[in-house]
Amino acid sequence: MHDEFLCHVTAYGTCGGQRIGVPLGTYRAPTLALALWWLRDRASWIAERLDPTPEGTVFPAGALVPVADTVADVPTLLRAWCADGDRQEQAADELSGGRLVRIAASDDTTEYELLAESVDALRMQRTVPALVVTMA
């Protein structure tokens, strides 16, 4: 049984011709439910910052502008993932099976990545090389 989960959110972009990652948060979830809750919360947090609800806050004139139809709509993709019960269940199945879950969405400048993995699975991966070492 996988009891703890390590969750990360990172934004990737290009600076000086190199791909760089900027950590946006990390959480060690004590339960599967909290790991999924945190991923949904962070996805919503990113979506709200990229595409704030105009009715919710006062913005200066010209602060919000529409983007071209050719630009991927990251906030909509993240909100859709949060609202999709089937995809949440699939993520839960993957995590409880000890597999890494990666949710990623990108626009023309940035990739947003949400990761979660079992702490137990990480520990087991570290011991595998020691189990296959031949003794002389």
Side-chain angles (χ1 to χ4, degrees):
M1 182 64 172
H2 299 277
D3 295 328
E4 277 187 290
F5 301 90
L6 194 55
C7 307
H8 305 278
V9 177
T10 309
Y12 294 95
T14 303
C15 182
Q18 294 185 343
R19 181 175 161 91
I20 60 162
V22 178
L24 300 178
T26 299
Y27 176 58
R28 189 170 181 141
T31 66
L32 176 61
L34 285 174
L36 291 170
W37 170 83
W38 191 83
L39 290 174
R40 283 190 306 270
D41 181 69
R42 295 294 84 197
S44 296
W45 179 82
I46 292 168
E48 185 60 28
R49 272 133 194 90
L50 293 175
D51 184 19
T53 309
E55 305 82 37
T57 310
V58 177
F59 295 99
L64 299 178
V65 296
V67 296
D69 290 338
T70 57
V71 176
D73 189 352
V74 170
T76 297
L77 294 171
L78 293 175
R79 288 179 178 124
W81 180 81
C82 290
D84 190 331
D86 290 338
R87 291 172 74 192
Q88 296 299 311
E89 189 173 322
Q90 180 184 12
D93 290 345
E94 294 294 315
L95 284 171
S96 61
R99 291 176 294 279
L100 172 77
V101 168
R102 179 179 185 264
I103 298 100
S106 49
D107 56 25
D108 57 344
T109 63
T110 309
E111 178 183 40
Y112 301 91
E113 177 183 73
L114 297 98
L115 292 175
E117 55 193 332
S118 163
V119 172
D120 293 333
L122 288 170
R123 287 180 185 142
M124 288 187 289
Q125 288 172 5
R126 280 192 221 125
T127 62
V128 169
L131 295 175
V132 296
V133 172
T134 57
M135 302 301 278

Coordinates of all heavy atoms in Angstrom, one line a residue, residues 8-12 19 39 43 46 72-79 81 87 101-107 110-116:
H8 N 4.8 17.8 -6.8 CA 5.6 18.9 -7.2 C 4.8 19.7 -8.3 O 4.1 19.1 -9.1 CB 6.9 18.5 -7.8 CG 7.8 17.7 -7.0 ND1 8.6 18.2 -6.0 CD2 8.0 16.3 -7.0 CE1 9.2 17.2 -5.4 NE2 8.9 16.1 -6.0
V9 N 5.0 21.0 -8.3 CA 4.5 21.8 -9.4 C 5.7 22.7 -9.9 O 6.4 23.3 -9.1 CB 3.3 22.7 -9.0 CG1 2.9 23.6 -10.2 CG2 2.2 21.9 -8.5
T10 N 5.9 22.6 -11.2 CA 7.0 23.4 -11.8 C 6.6 24.0 -13.1 O 5.8 23.5 -13.8 CB 8.2 22.4 -12.1 OG1 8.5 21.6 -10.9 CG2 9.5 23.1 -12.6
A11 N 7.1 25.2 -13.3 CA 6.9 25.9 -14.6 C 8.2 25.9 -15.4 O 9.3 26.2 -14.8 CB 6.5 27.3 -14.4
Y12 N 8.2 25.5 -16.6 CA 9.4 25.4 -17.5 C 9.3 26.5 -18.6 O 8.3 26.6 -19.2 CB 9.6 24.0 -18.1 CG 9.8 23.0 -17.1 CD1 8.8 22.2 -16.6 CD2 11.1 22.7 -16.6 CE1 9.0 21.2 -15.6 CE2 11.4 21.7 -15.7 CZ 10.3 21.0 -15.2 OH 10.5 20.0 -14.3
R19 N 16.5 25.7 -21.4 CA 15.3 25.3 -20.7 C 15.5 25.3 -19.2 O 16.5 24.7 -18.7 CB 14.8 24.0 -21.1 CG 13.5 23.5 -20.5 CD 13.0 22.2 -21.1 NE 12.1 21.5 -20.3 CZ 10.8 21.7 -20.4 NH1 10.3 22.5 -21.3 NH2 9.9 21.0 -19.6
L39 N -3.0 18.5 -5.9 CA -2.8 18.7 -7.4 C -3.9 19.5 -8.0 O -3.6 20.4 -8.8 CB -2.7 17.3 -8.1 CG -1.4 16.5 -7.8 CD1 -1.6 15.1 -8.4 CD2 -0.2 17.2 -8.3
A43 N -3.4 23.2 -9.7 CA -3.9 23.4 -11.0 C -4.9 24.6 -11.1 O -4.8 25.4 -12.0 CB -4.5 22.1 -11.6
I46 N -2.9 27.9 -10.6 CA -2.2 28.3 -11.8 C -3.2 28.9 -12.8 O -3.0 30.0 -13.4 CB -1.5 27.1 -12.5 CG1 -0.3 26.7 -11.6 CG2 -1.0 27.5 -13.9 CD1 0.4 25.4 -12.0
A72 N -2.4 27.8 -27.0 CA -3.1 26.8 -26.2 C -3.7 27.5 -24.9 O -3.0 28.4 -24.4 CB -2.1 25.7 -25.7
D73 N -4.8 27.1 -24.6 CA -5.5 27.7 -23.4 C -5.3 26.8 -22.2 O -6.0 26.0 -21.8 CB -7.0 27.7 -23.7 CG -7.8 28.5 -22.7 OD1 -7.3 28.9 -21.7 OD2 -9.0 28.7 -22.9
V74 N -4.1 27.1 -21.6 CA -3.7 26.3 -20.4 C -4.7 26.4 -19.2 O -5.0 25.4 -18.6 CB -2.3 26.8 -19.9 CG1 -1.9 26.2 -18.6 CG2 -1.2 26.4 -21.0
P75 N -5.2 27.6 -18.9 CA -6.2 27.6 -17.8 C -7.4 26.7 -18.0 O -7.8 26.0 -17.1 CB -6.6 29.1 -17.7 CG -5.4 29.8 -18.3 CD -4.9 28.9 -19.4
T76 N -7.9 26.7 -19.3 CA -9.1 25.8 -19.6 C -8.7 24.4 -19.4 O -9.4 23.6 -18.9 CB -9.6 26.2 -21.0 OG1 -10.1 27.5 -20.9 CG2 -10.8 25.2 -21.3
L77 N -7.5 24.0 -19.9 CA -7.0 22.6 -19.8 C -6.9 22.2 -18.4 O -7.3 21.1 -18.0 CB -5.7 22.5 -20.6 CG -5.7 22.6 -22.1 CD1 -4.3 22.6 -22.6 CD2 -6.5 21.5 -22.7
L78 N -6.3 23.0 -17.5 CA -6.1 22.7 -16.1 C -7.5 22.6 -15.4 O -7.7 21.7 -14.6 CB -5.2 23.7 -15.5 CG -3.7 23.7 -15.9 CD1 -2.9 24.8 -15.3 CD2 -3.1 22.3 -15.6
R79 N -8.4 23.6 -15.7 CA -9.7 23.5 -15.1 C -10.5 22.3 -15.5 O -11.2 21.7 -14.7 CB -10.5 24.8 -15.4 CG -9.9 26.0 -14.7 CD -10.7 27.3 -15.0 NE -10.2 28.4 -14.3 CZ -9.8 29.5 -14.8 NH1 -9.8 29.7 -16.2 NH2 -9.3 30.5 -14.1
W81 N -9.2 19.4 -16.3 CA -8.6 18.2 -15.6 C -9.1 18.2 -14.2 O -9.5 17.1 -13.7 CB -7.0 18.3 -15.6 CG -6.5 17.1 -14.8 CD1 -6.2 15.9 -15.3 CD2 -6.0 17.1 -13.5 NE1 -5.7 15.1 -14.3 CE2 -5.6 15.8 -13.2 CE3 -6.0 18.1 -12.5 CZ2 -5.1 15.4 -12.0 CZ3 -5.5 17.7 -11.2 CH2 -5.1 16.4 -11.0
R87 N -10.8 11.3 -14.9 CA -9.3 11.5 -14.9 C -8.8 11.5 -13.5 O -7.6 11.1 -13.3 CB -9.0 12.8 -15.7 CG -9.3 12.6 -17.2 CD -9.1 13.8 -18.0 NE -7.8 14.2 -18.2 CZ -7.4 15.3 -18.7 NH1 -8.3 16.2 -19.1 NH2 -6.1 15.6 -18.9
V101 N 2.4 10.1 -11.6 CA 1.4 10.8 -12.4 C 1.9 12.2 -12.8 O 2.5 12.9 -11.9 CB 0.1 11.0 -11.5 CG1 -0.9 11.9 -12.1 CG2 -0.5 9.6 -11.2
R102 N 1.8 12.5 -14.0 CA 2.2 13.8 -14.6 C 1.1 14.4 -15.3 O 0.5 13.8 -16.2 CB 3.4 13.6 -15.5 CG 3.9 14.8 -16.1 CD 5.2 14.6 -17.0 NE 5.7 15.8 -17.5 CZ 5.4 16.3 -18.7 NH1 4.6 15.7 -19.5 NH2 6.0 17.4 -19.1
I103 N 0.8 15.6 -14.9 CA -0.2 16.5 -15.7 C 0.6 17.7 -16.2 O 1.2 18.4 -15.4 CB -1.3 16.9 -14.7 CG1 -2.1 15.7 -14.2 CG2 -2.3 17.8 -15.5 CD1 -1.7 15.4 -12.8
A104 N 0.5 17.9 -17.5 CA 1.3 19.0 -18.1 C 0.4 19.7 -19.1 O -0.4 19.1 -19.8 CB 2.5 18.4 -18.7
A105 N 0.6 21.0 -19.1 CA -0.1 21.8 -20.1 C 0.9 22.9 -20.5 O 1.6 23.5 -19.6 CB -1.4 22.4 -19.6
S106 N 0.9 23.3 -21.8 CA 1.8 24.3 -22.2 C 1.2 25.3 -23.2 O 0.3 24.9 -24.0 CB 3.1 23.8 -22.7 OG 2.9 22.8 -23.7
D107 N 1.7 26.5 -23.1 CA 1.3 27.5 -24.1 C 2.6 27.8 -25.0 O 3.5 27.0 -25.0 CB 0.7 28.7 -23.5 CG 1.6 29.4 -22.4 OD1 2.8 29.2 -22.5 OD2 1.0 30.1 -21.6
T110 N 5.5 28.7 -22.0 CA 5.7 28.0 -20.7 C 5.0 26.7 -20.6 O 3.9 26.5 -21.2 CB 5.2 28.9 -19.5 OG1 5.7 30.2 -19.6 CG2 5.6 28.3 -18.2
E111 N 5.7 25.7 -20.0 CA 5.0 24.4 -19.7 C 4.8 24.3 -18.2 O 5.7 24.6 -17.4 CB 5.9 23.2 -20.2 CG 5.3 21.9 -19.8 CD 6.2 20.7 -20.2 OE1 7.4 20.8 -20.0 OE2 5.6 19.7 -20.6
Y112 N 3.6 24.0 -17.8 CA 3.3 23.8 -16.4 C 3.1 22.3 -16.1 O 2.4 21.7 -16.8 CB 2.0 24.6 -16.1 CG 2.1 26.0 -16.4 CD1 1.7 26.5 -17.7 CD2 2.6 26.9 -15.5 CE1 1.8 27.9 -18.0 CE2 2.7 28.3 -15.8 CZ 2.4 28.7 -17.0 OH 2.5 30.1 -17.3
E113 N 3.9 21.8 -15.2 CA 3.9 20.4 -14.9 C 3.5 20.2 -13.4 O 4.1 20.8 -12.5 CB 5.3 19.9 -15.1 CG 5.5 18.4 -14.8 CD 6.9 18.0 -15.0 OE1 7.8 18.4 -14.2 OE2 7.2 17.3 -16.0
L114 N 2.6 19.3 -13.2 CA 2.2 18.8 -11.9 C 2.6 17.3 -11.8 O 2.2 16.5 -12.7 CB 0.7 19.0 -11.7 CG 0.2 20.4 -11.7 CD1 -0.4 20.7 -13.1 CD2 -0.8 20.6 -10.6
L115 N 3.3 17.0 -10.8 CA 3.8 15.6 -10.6 C 3.4 15.1 -9.3 O 3.4 15.8 -8.3 CB 5.3 15.5 -10.7 CG 6.0 15.7 -12.0 CD1 7.5 15.7 -11.8 CD2 5.6 14.7 -13.0
A116 N 3.1 13.8 -9.2 CA 2.9 13.1 -7.9 C 3.4 11.7 -8.0 O 3.3 11.1 -9.1 CB 1.4 13.1 -7.5

